[in-house]
Amino acid sequence: MNDRRLGRTELQISAVGLGAWALGGGPDWGPADETAALETVSAALDAGVNFFDTAPIYGQSESFLGKALRGRRTQAVLASKCGLVKNGSWTDHDLRPQTLIAQLEQSLSRLQTDYLDLYQIHYPDPKIPLEETLDVLCRLRQQGKIRYIGVCNVTEPEVRRVAAQVDAVQNEFSLLHPQKGKSVLPVCQEKGIGFIGYGTLCGGVLSGKYKKEPNLRRADARNYFYRCYRGDAFAAACQTAQRVEQVARRKGTSAAAVAGAWALAGEGVSCVLMGARSAGQAQQNAQAAQTVLTPEEIQFLEDRI
């Protein structure tokens, strides 16, 4: 596994990180399997993955990671998030100071650690200026409960506004949805901010897993979040997935590794997050760090040839 420095921080993180949303199950991903989750984290560590990204809203993800990393905490760079809360079947923004402090304490307890390497604002709260939230996070950093601060799902103007206070930006970045990453990468490079891409496989469609439209529950994350599993969007996603599989066959690797390698080839990318719910998937994802694409292959994947 190749490690990369996260922006101007002292953190050396694996080029491929484990995005632990699906790992935790829950309404977004269906029933969780604790044994499989523990095996997945162990396989990722053994494959050289050291960066693990979770959130309190990701089902049992934090609890599973806490158990899986017992005795191996020093091998892991742990990132979690704040600012989203469940309100019945709805998800609401809440970046009030009392919520941030409570969520952090709960995350530390579930993750069985006394500090987080990276603590991230999950989404900006339209009711509270980002600067006010970052002031609270800076105080938590002074207390030693977090080492570095990040923001997720932000625009280029928002990154410029808070560049002096944040160490990392996390936005969606994949072959199917490249713009959310590309729109902020230049300013991240300019300001020395690390960039973490998520949704690299778009819920699995770029791994070649789906050959026809899946029959998903209404609450499934692939149904409402990635928006590429129905109709014309699914047909277009399948065409991209076929190009990914063609390159993978030529290179003797997995489609997941090729999709991850495309994202890692982006200038200024520190890490890409790839979800996994089994040890085999974690091992396949890790191969992205050793997969090097030629300029011609990148053009082919982007359908520019």
Side-chain angles (χ1 to χ4, degrees), residues 1-3 14-18 39-52 72 75 278-290:
M1 176 64 66
N2 300 318
D3 288 349
S14 50
V16 174
L18 178 62
E39 291 174 349
T40 300
V41 175
S42 180
L45 281 166
D46 291 343
V49 172
N50 77 349
F51 187 68
F52 297 87
R72 304 184 76 172
Q75 296 176 247
S278 70
Q281 289 176 349
Q283 291 162 349
Q284 279 193 341
N285 293 346
Q287 294 171 5
Q290 282 79 44

Side-chain angles (χ1 to χ4, degrees), residues 199-210:
T200 310
L201 299 177
C202 288
V205 71
L206 290 179
S207 71
K209 176 180 179 179
Y210 300 100

Side-chain angles (χ1 to χ4, degrees), residues 22 24 38 64 90 143 156 180 204 210 286:
L38 301 186
F64 288 165
W90 295 94
Q143 296 169 17
E156 185 265 348
K180 292 179 182 178
Y210 300 100

Side-chain angles (χ1 to χ4, degrees), residues 69-90:
L69 293 173
R70 284 177 188 163
R72 304 184 76 172
R73 174 65 179 94
T74 57
Q75 296 176 247
V77 177
L78 265 179
S80 194
K81 307 183 186 76
C82 59
L84 289 185
V85 294
K86 283 291 186 183
N87 183 8
S89 60
W90 295 94

Side-chain angles (χ1 to χ4, degrees), residues 173 180-190 195 266-269:
F173 189 46
K180 292 179 182 178
K182 290 182 177 180
S183 65
V184 299
L185 270 167
V187 67
C188 287
Q189 289 181 275
E190 176 189 338
F195 176 82
E267 188 175 357
V269 173

